[in-house]
Amino acid sequence: MNKLKRDRQFRPLPVPNVDVHGLFGERQDAICDSTAETLLDRCVQAGMIRAIDVEQPSDGVVIPIGPWGGSTQMFWDSDLGKSIETVAYSLYRRANPALEARVDAIVDMYEKLQDKDGYLNAWFQRVQPDRRWTNLRDHHELYCAGHLIEGAVAYFQATGKRKLLDIMCRYSDYLIKTFGRGEGQLRGYCGHEEVELALVKLARVTGQKKYLDLAKFFVDERGTEPNFFTEEAIRDGRSAEDYHQKTYEYSQAHEPVREQKKVVGHAVRAMYLYSGMADIATEYNDDTLTSALETLWDDLTTKQMYVTGGIGPAASNEGFTDYYDLPNESAYAETCASVGLVFWANRMLGRGPNRRYADIMEQALYNGAMSGLSLDGKTFFYENPLESAGKHHRWVWHHCPCCPPNIARLLASIGSYMYGVAEDEVAVHLYGEGKARFEIGGTGVVLTQETRYPWNGAIHIDVAPEKPARFALSLRIPEWADGSTLKVNGEPVDIASIEVDGYARIEREWKNGDHVDLDIPLAPRTLFANPLVRQDAGRAALMRGPLVYCVEATDNGPGLNGIRFDGKISNARTSEIAELGDAVALDIPVVRETESWGATLYRTTPPAAKEATARFVPYHLWDNRTPGEMLVWIRSEN
């Protein structure tokens, strides 16, 4: 079937339009029970609330200025913005007057802090007021603005309260005056991208195109010559070469975005940039941006991505190194980076459903991102290695606490990532128990999913329009889902005959009572890495559906590297683990070394081995029980 035109515009549903249950609902319940309040409590403990309170004297520099000329304290507005966003989505799911009152108090503080011209940044108003807009390369001013904008949009959508939204509209109006190509304006952009995608959200909720135009300016200006960061440094009396990463690739500012062909630099910054680019491509039907993004997508997903959807193997730059450099035990794979990959993948669906993006969105979500939050919602991973000798564990907080609110706000808003709606089509990108409400062609529609996915592949969808309406319902058929079957009102449909870019596109007049049944087989499968990934040579990873599995010492005892696959994956048995929320475990026949090696370091005979059974659990759930070793890539006899 011919591909559909790419000038359609699919936009995500607002979070309040989607109720989620099942696995995602359980994660959201943990956020309501623990995480949302935990985030605010730890912001208080860190001093973030005091930093914005003009009724109290400023404490100045609480965290020492680093060698790069800044402090993680400069980012505190971003942490508050993401925490407000998390709380907002938790309030939609479950009313919490005390928590809402705490956010209202923070909003009041920001209102008092805001300058008359609209400027708002706790650090550059209360600690270094003489340094405003002097070092966009390093000091995160626009990044902080972006996260506060996103928090404002979320709080408005969840509660209907406009105060923070109005504050950030005033700030954004100030930014429009400050940045641009006119006389006296700064032709600059932020060293840490984020404001671009936030401005798109602001434009969509307010209907004000001027915010889209500013986001487009930041995207278009990035990396052009003369390079803004060089000009800025000279203007500020700094050496342009005295830079902690020594390359503009670190912030993707080395060349114009449409000319970039390789994913480089800081992983989170890259993902936020590409997310903003994809949004602008959707809103302006910009094929030049989409073409550049498609090239970058292939570069990332075929050469630089872990099987978990983790990205950025190196701690030194929190980002990318060489092609096929994917170490397991030392993997950085920052939680924020996988969250960012979910953002980017979702926005690539803005120009039409395509499983090449949605499959990766699901993979990064379930594995690389969701691992960052414990089951009880109280502890977090910053790094996400694929192997541990038993010393890597979740932590309570971090000196740069970007990841806790980032994974929390993603999971709290996951309903908006599940669907995309255009004028004549609704696409289901992710499967999960719940209900979505939207309008299509002027008709209100309720879409209800009944499923235990990802534990079970049976998905029942009820379609309930207010009145009969013609539109397309597109359902993603994952690339790995061989043998999927589809029925509409009980009648079988040949998926291949209606498949477009990996989605089963069912176009018809829908009426109340119509239903669709999609069955996606969830057979365990082994994956092998490209031979150029030297760290995975002779090893295989195990997946079932969208989930990567691992072995933990708590189930299998120590010495996990002594386990070998022997080609009997099809004999796997499934069982549910109550202490992991009834997650499906896989018990698989393996070969396992049995004897003690002895005191010698080397010897001429290999260790003895025998047939055994190993228990595999979903990777995102590791380190929720007794601490110990963990391993994703298992030695394989194939």
Side-chain angles (χ1 to χ4, degrees):
M1 183 177 289
N2 293 330
K3 291 187 177 182
L4 297 172
K5 289 197 304 180
R6 218 166 42 173
D7 59 358
R8 297 175 302 154
Q9 295 169 311
F10 284 78
R11 295 182 178 91
L13 293 177
V15 172
N17 287 44
V18 185
D19 303 328
V20 299
H21 306 292
L23 184 148
F24 289 144
E26 292 166 3
R27 308 310 296 128
Q28 290 190 352
D29 286 338
I31 290 167
C32 291
D33 291 340
S34 302
T35 315
E37 187 171 13
T38 293
L39 293 175
L40 288 189
D41 287 347
R42 291 173 190 169
C43 286
V44 171
Q45 294 163 11
M48 296 181 191
I49 308 300
R50 182 180 176 90
I52 65 171
D53 187 356
V54 297
E55 303 296 327
Q56 299 186 60
S58 172
D59 287 332
V61 180
V62 177
I63 299 173
I65 296 288
W68 50 279
S71 164
T72 56
Q73 192 177 337
M74 288 176 166
F75 320 156
W76 279 358
D77 285 327
S78 72
D79 299 321
L80 282 173
K82 286 182 285 188
S83 297
I84 289 170
E85 189 177 351
T86 301
V87 172
Y89 296 138
S90 77
L91 292 175
Y92 164 69
R93 184 173 182 86
R94 184 187 306 164
N96 188 329
L99 204 56
E100 186 171 346
R102 291 180 66 180
V103 173
D104 288 341
I106 293 171
V107 173
D108 289 343
M109 291 179 196
Y110 272 121
E111 184 179 45
K112 292 177 182 178
L113 178 64
Q114 188 170 35
D115 286 349
K116 290 182 180 179
D117 63 6
Y119 184 85
L120 184 64
N121 183 291
W123 179 273
F124 290 102
Q125 285 177 284
R126 306 198 74 205
V127 182
Q128 289 186 321
D130 59 326
R131 298 292 294 158
R132 184 185 304 187
W133 306 133
T134 58
N135 188 350
L136 270 69
R137 184 190 67 189
D138 299 323
H139 289 171
H140 292 59
E141 277 172 276
L142 288 169
Y143 169 84
C144 287
H147 282 306
L148 284 174
I149 289 170
E150 290 196 84
V153 170
Y155 203 59
F156 169 68
Q157 288 181 327
T159 67
K161 294 179 179 179
R162 287 196 60 96
K163 182 180 285 189
L164 185 56
L165 186 68
D166 290 340
I167 290 169
M168 296 316 298
C169 283
R170 286 195 294 272
Y171 190 10
S172 298
D173 291 341
Y174 165 85
L175 295 177
I176 290 172
K177 296 176 183 177
T178 303
F179 291 91
R181 299 183 182 92
E183 185 176 351
Q185 289 183 301
L186 286 171
R187 289 193 60 167
Y189 40 84
C190 195
H192 195 315
E193 304 92 326
E194 212 286 330
V195 72
E196 298 85 353
L197 62 93
L199 286 165
V200 174
K201 282 189 176 182
L202 187 62
R204 286 173 174 170
V205 81
T206 63
Q208 295 292 316
K209 184 174 180 292
K210 60 184 178 181
Y211 302 130
L212 283 181
D213 292 339
L214 180 59
K216 186 176 187 301
F217 163 79
F218 287 136
V219 167
D220 290 344
E221 197 68 22
R222 190 168 210 88
T224 58
E225 292 295 338
N227 193 287
F228 175 77
F229 292 154
T230 299
E231 300 287 299
E232 173 190 65
I234 295 170
R235 189 166 55 245
D236 193 36
R238 293 180 279 113
S239 167
E241 288 75 34
D242 186 16
Y243 181 26
H244 70 296
Q245 290 294 332
K246 309 299 183 188
T247 172
Y248 291 152
E249 288 188 350
Y250 178 66
S251 50
Q252 300 76 45
H254 55 297
E255 56 189 3
V257 296
R258 290 169 178 81
E259 299 174 17
Q260 296 184 24
K261 294 180 170 36
K262 182 179 180 180
V263 176
V264 295
H266 187 275
V268 180
R269 298 177 196 227
M271 296 304 104
Y272 286 175
L273 170 63
Y274 306 153
S275 296
M277 289 168 62
D279 272 340
I280 295 300
T282 295
E283 294 298 334
Y284 290 86
N285 291 318
D286 189 333
D287 289 342
T288 64
L289 281 176
T290 298
S291 178
L293 288 166
E294 288 171 343
T295 297
L296 291 164
W297 183 268
D298 288 341
D299 184 80
L300 177 72
T301 59
T302 65
K303 300 181 182 72
Q304 302 196 73
M305 187 184 76
Y306 285 99
V307 70
T308 57
I311 54 175
S316 58
N317 67 342
E318 294 189 306
F320 302 102
T321 53
D322 297 325
Y323 285 157
Y324 307 109
D325 179 31
L326 296 168
N328 292 310
E329 190 168 13
S330 64
Y332 198 68
E334 184 181 343
T335 296
C336 279
S338 289
V339 169
L341 179 53
V342 173
F343 291 171
W344 179 23
N346 181 256
R347 285 160 172 82
M348 291 298 287
L349 299 166
R351 306 202 71 188
N354 190 320
R355 76 176 173 203
R356 72 190 295 238
Y357 307 119
D359 279 3
I360 296 295
M361 176 172 70
E362 182 179 56
Q363 190 173 346
L365 168 66
Y366 274 112
N367 304 291
M370 197 152 58
S371 57
L373 182 66
S374 64
L375 272 178
D376 63 11
K378 296 179 181 179
T379 55
F380 312 91
F381 277 145
Y382 195 104
E383 305 97 335
N384 292 274
L386 283 74
E387 180 176 352
S388 172
K391 298 179 181 179
H392 185 79
H393 307 294
R394 290 179 174 84
W395 35 260
V396 171
W397 204 235
H398 196 273
H399 68 89
C400 181
C402 52
C403 294
N406 223 6
I407 181 57
R409 70 180 178 134
L410 171 62
L411 292 176
S413 63
I414 200 61
S416 69
Y417 294 79
M418 297 176 72
Y419 304 92
V421 178
E423 288 184 358
D424 59 352
E425 184 172 351
V426 57
V428 183
H429 304 310
L430 298 172
Y431 299 110
E433 186 88 14
K435 183 177 294 186
R437 296 170 293 277
F438 53 91
E439 277 196 6
I440 192 162
T443 300
V445 180
V446 176
L447 209 66
T448 304
Q449 288 194 54
E450 296 177 9
T451 180
R452 289 194 66 245
Y453 190 89
W455 310 126
N456 185 291
I459 301 155
H460 178 84
I461 298 176
D462 288 313
V463 185
E466 292 174 336
K467 59 184 179 182
R470 186 173 186 84
F471 59 89
L473 170 65
S474 289
L475 306 177
R476 179 176 60 95
I477 310 299
E479 187 175 14
W480 45 261
D482 295 334
S484 294
T485 59
L486 179 67
K487 294 180 180 179
V488 178
N489 293 334
E491 294 295 322
V493 175
D494 178 21
I495 291 176
S497 69
I498 59 171
E499 187 172 316
V500 181
D501 291 333
Y503 280 67
R505 191 174 193 270
I506 312 165
E507 186 173 4
R508 54 174 284 154
E509 182 178 81
W510 297 93
K511 62 183 185 299
N512 195 13
D514 285 343
H515 59 273
V516 177
D517 288 284
L518 174 64
D519 196 279
I520 298 176
L522 299 180
R525 63 193 188 278
T526 47
L527 271 68
F528 300 90
N530 186 309
L532 294 173
V533 183
R534 59 192 183 282
Q535 297 92 343
D536 299 332
R539 293 178 180 262
L542 178 69
M543 293 191 73
R544 179 179 185 266
L547 301 179
V548 173
Y549 275 69
C550 67
V551 285
E552 285 191 272
T554 187
D555 298 309
N556 300 286
L560 300 180
N561 269 302
I563 296 173
R564 299 198 307 271
F565 285 132
D566 64 353
K568 299 178 181 177
I569 302 300
S570 59
N571 294 333
R573 299 191 309 274
T574 61
S575 58
E576 295 183 353
I577 306 178
E579 59 183 327
L580 292 179
D582 292 331
V584 171
L586 298 174
D587 295 316
I588 293 179
V590 295
V591 172
R592 187 158 190 181
E593 296 167 359
T594 57
E595 68 172 315
S596 174
W597 182 264
T600 184
L601 189 57
Y602 307 102
R603 72 182 197 190
T604 57
T605 56
K610 68 176 184 179
E611 292 185 350
T613 298
R615 167 157 289 192
F616 290 73
V617 298
Y619 169 81
H620 76 267
L621 293 171
W622 85 276
D623 201 49
N624 273 286
R625 298 172 294 166
T626 304
E629 295 177 49
M630 180 277 295
L631 190 63
V632 168
W633 287 95
I634 308 298
R635 291 159 62 193
S636 174
E637 295 184 354
N638 290 344

